[in-house]
Amino acid sequence: MNVASPKKAPGGGAAVPEDLVPFKLRGGTFTLLVLQLIDLKNPNFFHWLLDKINQAPNFYRHAPVVLDLQGLAEAGPFNFAELARRLRQHQLVPVGVQNGTEEQNRGAVNAGLSVFPMWRESQSVPLPGEATAKAAAGAKPAEAQEAAGTAGDKTPGKPPGKKEPPKGNKVVIQPIRSGRQIYAQGGDLVVLNTVSAGAELLADGNLHVYGALRGRALAGVSGDTSARIFCRSLNAELVSIAGHWIVRDDIDEDLIGREVQIYLKDGDLAIEPLI
Amino acid sequence: MSKIIVMTSGKGGVGKTTSSASFAAGLAQRGHKTVVVDFDVGLRNLDLLMGCERRVVFDFINVINGDARLKQALIKDKRVDNLWILPTSQTRDKDALKKDGVEKVIEQLKDDGFDYIVCDSPAGIEKGALMALYFADEAIVVTNPEISSVRDSDRILGVLSSRSRRAELDMEPVKEHLLLTRYDTNRVQLGEMLTVDDVLEILAVPLLGVIPESESVLRASNLGAPVILDETSPPGQAYSDAVGRFLGEQVAHRFITAEKRGFFHRLLRRTA
């Protein structure tokens, strides 16, 4: 991911005195986002991409990205200019490609993108947390890729395209007001305050809420069926574990206002008072 | 050091402008040089409630656009010393509020030595409301004791903590106050309205004051005088108490529970 340009500007033929040159050419090292393209034909491609961007709009806004074409080796040629235009619409700035076929590289250059050197998966710097996930998933690389999103994720057949760069746990001290959405990517979300009606909590791991929980709470959003929700006072509009959800109307009235844990028991959502 | 206060709510019709007018008048009455700025571009109301609608020549938007100087647009209140009004434009819309323009005007007001700059926010969470709250040091969230108003207040509190200048610059957060308006103790007692405690439990913001529902508010609006100037009226007294609390005085809350002699009172009123 580190890109180093030449350290020294290539000298021209004629010697121009250094202080007369109207620019300076220097090398720089940048960390770039790599967008691994797996299936461009998927009709939900941009829909899901937008979801991802909306989780951290400031982080992704105008972020330069390198397109990794490894997964598209058999896909043949496609319209780079159109793809770049769509990405720019989503506020990503495509700057180059890597791991493309020769034909794809030519297309990329024609579309104004540069070609980055070949880069294999094994060379890429593991993001924090990924190493442990890989270790947990064993030796098989395919499995490692699937589990990279959440350590301990046991969902089989999760599309590798949904792989998340793990970011770890998140702790929020302030009240979470109506309309806010907080996502703990690749970890647990701990909220020490009230979660208002109309607010939404999301975590790849577990959810802990120590104030009143009045909003929506979704744990294991990347498919971790072992994720749980713990709260001090249950009054949620909706709770969900790994896509299994229940709304306020369907929650037993006896459990409202109680300290409970919510988890998946044989594929069903169980809400139990804490001892 | 000037303090910028935003009067905001999310929901419309809860009493932001009424509260802005009375609160600004109250601050001025206590000797603080105060200006109240109307951010509701296109729906100009503050000048009506302040009774200065016939004296508007230039407005906030003119100053932002550099068509007029601030001094030309500021209207001095005739009843209360230390009180000025900066009316807004009725013919433009919220897009006329540019962040750097608003900042420029606020800086000028600070330079003019205003102790308090009260920003009367429009309803909603869009441009106008965002501009009104962006520069705030303190926020007074106006809420009615009913669920939709409470939820919208909750939303605006979230906006304050994430999109204000203080939030963006990672400064000390905007100080929040709750002003519960149109509080009808009888209806609360009948269970038709949320109680003070209900609202406080949901919003978890310190209570600045409870303003009782009263016909004197409408009367004051029609007269073009802030209700706080009607010193005998319950809402006028409640606003005065709230201003005192804002300035750090210890004032017990009134108008929260129904009057003790309510039964006889009602009986008398009915026969009268």
Side-chain angles (χ1 to χ4, degrees), chain B residues 43-84:
Chain B
L43 297 166
R44 200 180 92 190
N45 280 169
L46 180 71
D47 50 322
L48 287 173
L49 298 201
M50 299 293 290
C52 66
E53 73 277 11
R54 297 184 191 169
R55 296 163 63 203
V56 177
V57 182
F58 296 106
D59 59 49
F60 187 24
I61 304 304
N62 291 140
V63 183
I64 287 178
N65 293 340
D67 301 331
R69 280 176 293 118
L70 181 60
K71 281 222 161 50
Q72 295 174 295
L74 280 174
I75 300 174
K76 190 176 184 322
D77 192 84
K78 284 183 170 166
R79 295 155 300 216
V80 185
D81 278 344
N82 302 315
L83 180 59
W84 276 262

Side-chain angles (χ1 to χ4, degrees), chain B residues 214-230:
Chain B
S214 161
E215 61 261 37
S216 48
V217 173
L218 184 60
R219 193 179 335 128
S221 299
N222 289 333
L223 283 173
V227 70
I228 198 169
L229 301 181
D230 184 357

Side-chain angles (χ1 to χ4, degrees), chain A residues 197-229:
Chain A
E200 191 166 76
L201 304 181
L202 303 139
D204 283 339
N206 305 310
L207 264 176
H208 305 256
V209 181
Y210 292 94
L213 170 58
R214 303 194 181 99
R216 300 156 72 96
L218 300 92
V221 292
S222 295
D224 182 0
T225 50
S226 68
R228 294 186 181 214
I229 298 171

Side-chain angles (χ1 to χ4, degrees), chain B residues 184-239:
Chain B
D184 187 331
T185 47
N186 293 319
R187 296 190 66 187
V188 169
Q189 221 167 25
L190 291 170
E192 295 175 356
M193 275 186 168
L194 298 175
T195 67
V196 177
D197 291 338
D198 290 338
V199 179
L200 286 176
E201 198 201 316
I202 297 171
L203 294 178
V205 170
L207 182 67
L208 186 64
V210 177
I211 313 298
E213 172 83 323
S214 161
E215 61 261 37
S216 48
V217 173
L218 184 60
R219 193 179 335 128
S221 299
N222 289 333
L223 283 173
V227 70
I228 198 169
L229 301 181
D230 184 357
E231 283 158 19
T232 55
S233 72
Q237 293 169 2
Y239 273 117

Side-chain angles (χ1 to χ4, degrees), chain B residues 13 20 29 84 100 102 133 144 170 183 206 232 265:
Chain B
S20 295
Q29 276 179 329
W84 276 262
D100 47 352
V102 173
L133 66 79
N144 289 168
D170 225 357
Y183 196 74
T232 55
H265 213 68

Side-chain angles (χ1 to χ4, degrees), chain B residues 5 7 16-37 46 50 77 80-86 116-120 140 179 226 228-229 239 243 246-247:
Chain B
I5 306 167
M7 198 69 75
K16 284 181 296 294
T17 304
T18 300
S19 299
S20 295
S22 279
F23 211 80
L27 288 168
Q29 276 179 329
R30 284 160 197 256
H32 302 285
K33 190 177 173 187
T34 304
V35 59
V36 53
V37 184
L46 180 71
M50 299 293 290
D77 192 84
V80 185
D81 278 344
N82 302 315
L83 180 59
W84 276 262
I85 299 114
L86 183 54
Y116 291 101
I117 301 167
V118 179
C119 303
D120 180 25
I140 299 175
L179 190 65
I228 198 169
L229 301 181
Y239 273 117
V243 172
F246 184 85
L247 295 172

